[in-house]
Amino acid sequence: SQTIHQWPATLVQPVGSPLSLECTVEGTSNPNLYWYRQAAGRGLQLLFYSVGIGQISSEVPQNLSASRPQDRQFILSSKKLLLSDSGFYLCAWSPRDFQNTGELFFGEGSRLTVL
Amino acid sequence: GNSVTQMEGPVTLSEEAFLTINCTYTATGYPSLFWYVQYPGEGLQLLLKATKADDKGSNKGFEATYRKETTSFHLEKGSVQVSDSAVYFCALRNPYRGSNYKLTFGKGTLLTVNP
């Protein structure tokens, strides 16, 4: 069966510090991968998605970047965090036939607090 | 562009009460529609879906009907339980203009069911 892991689960970082959140998927090949941010009162916002190694699509201009160095690994990064980067970050994957199923499978999330 | 509007929460109900969470959408073409649920401290998981007009999605006693004429996909349950307490997200997938890989989510509605 497929599983998705993301870490760390909780992170408290000072403003201006770097960020690295990691997500890995097991039990499947060539998944589509996604990073979403969930901010209080603002719902779920798609940040990045990737349909293959090295292929990253950015949905919103911001202080964050994403990389996909391996087929089942997706990393969210920042060189200098801002207060506004605080939130709950969710990694998700979908199978290649997402066009037919439309289902995303989510990790348990990483809560980032920037102080 | 695509957008999803959900009723503002929070919604507080007593056990065995009837639940309705309203969801309307804006999209070009023929989107697929979804309800996801997020239990406390967890990531999101698919609750139900409908891929064309007049389809009814159902799962765990929840139902939603795809109404193209009113661009709506309201979530209903006849008798809620304490274990239904969660955040509910309405979402759409629109294959039009390169949006095929993405889900657009509403802001979420927090449901609390009291015994």
Side-chain angles (χ1 to χ4, degrees):
Chain A
S1 64
Q2 302 89 358
T3 57
I4 178 169
H5 305 282
Q6 63 175 110
W7 67 93
T10 306
L11 199 59
V12 180
Q13 292 285 101
V15 169
S17 64
L19 171 73
S20 180
L21 299 179
E22 189 164 341
C23 172
T24 59
V25 180
E26 297 176 356
T28 188
S29 298
N30 302 315
N32 300 321
L33 296 172
Y34 308 80
W35 278 110
Y36 280 87
R37 178 168 59 200
Q38 186 177 14
R42 297 181 62 184
L44 213 58
Q45 181 185 34
L46 178 62
L47 303 176
F48 301 95
Y49 71 94
S50 171
V51 299
I53 296 175
Q55 300 179 58
I56 309 295
S57 295
S58 175
E59 289 296 295
V60 292
Q62 58 198 315
N63 185 42
L64 302 169
S65 62
S67 61
R68 184 172 179 172
Q70 300 180 43
D71 180 47
R72 292 170 291 165
Q73 184 184 27
F74 206 26
I75 298 171
L76 183 69
S77 303
S78 174
K79 293 182 179 178
K80 289 186 178 181
L81 284 168
L82 306 172
L83 286 174
S84 57
D85 292 324
S86 294
F88 192 52
Y89 289 82
L90 288 161
C91 182
W93 74 274
S94 70
R96 274 296 169 191
D97 65 342
F98 176 71
Q99 296 90 308
N100 296 322
T101 67
E103 183 169 3
L104 293 182
F105 298 89
F106 285 84
E108 294 191 350
S110 298
R111 184 162 301 282
L112 171 65
T113 303
V114 182
L115 302 174
Chain B
N2 303 322
S3 67
V4 175
T5 303
Q6 291 180 234
M7 63 185 290
E8 295 278 339
V11 175
T12 303
L13 297 173
S14 298
E15 206 164 21
E16 299 184 359
F18 184 85
L19 169 71
T20 298
I21 300 178
N22 291 336
C23 171
T24 57
Y25 68 89
T26 301
T28 305
Y30 303 94
S32 296
L33 301 172
F34 307 82
W35 277 101
Y36 277 76
V37 58
Q38 183 181 30
Y39 297 105
E42 300 182 8
L44 281 71
Q45 56 185 275
L46 179 65
L47 180 60
L48 53 85
K49 68 179 182 181
T51 57
K52 61 183 186 295
D54 299 325
D55 269 2
K56 177 185 285 187
S58 61
N59 186 25
K60 299 181 180 179
F62 291 88
E63 293 183 340
T65 301
Y66 188 165
R67 302 286 188 200
K68 189 166 179 63
E69 64 276 14
T70 55
T71 62
S72 65
F73 193 53
H74 304 322
L75 182 68
E76 297 182 336
K77 187 174 185 180
S79 177
V80 293
Q81 306 300 313
V82 172
S83 57
D84 294 325
S85 297
V87 181
Y88 292 82
F89 291 89
C90 187
L92 70 82
R93 180 181 70 84
N94 192 345
Y96 184 72
R97 285 188 179 173
S99 300
N100 204 27
Y101 293 104
K102 301 179 290 187
L103 289 184
T104 299
F105 286 88
K107 291 186 176 182
T109 302
L110 173 63
L111 169 67
T112 301
V113 180
N114 295 319

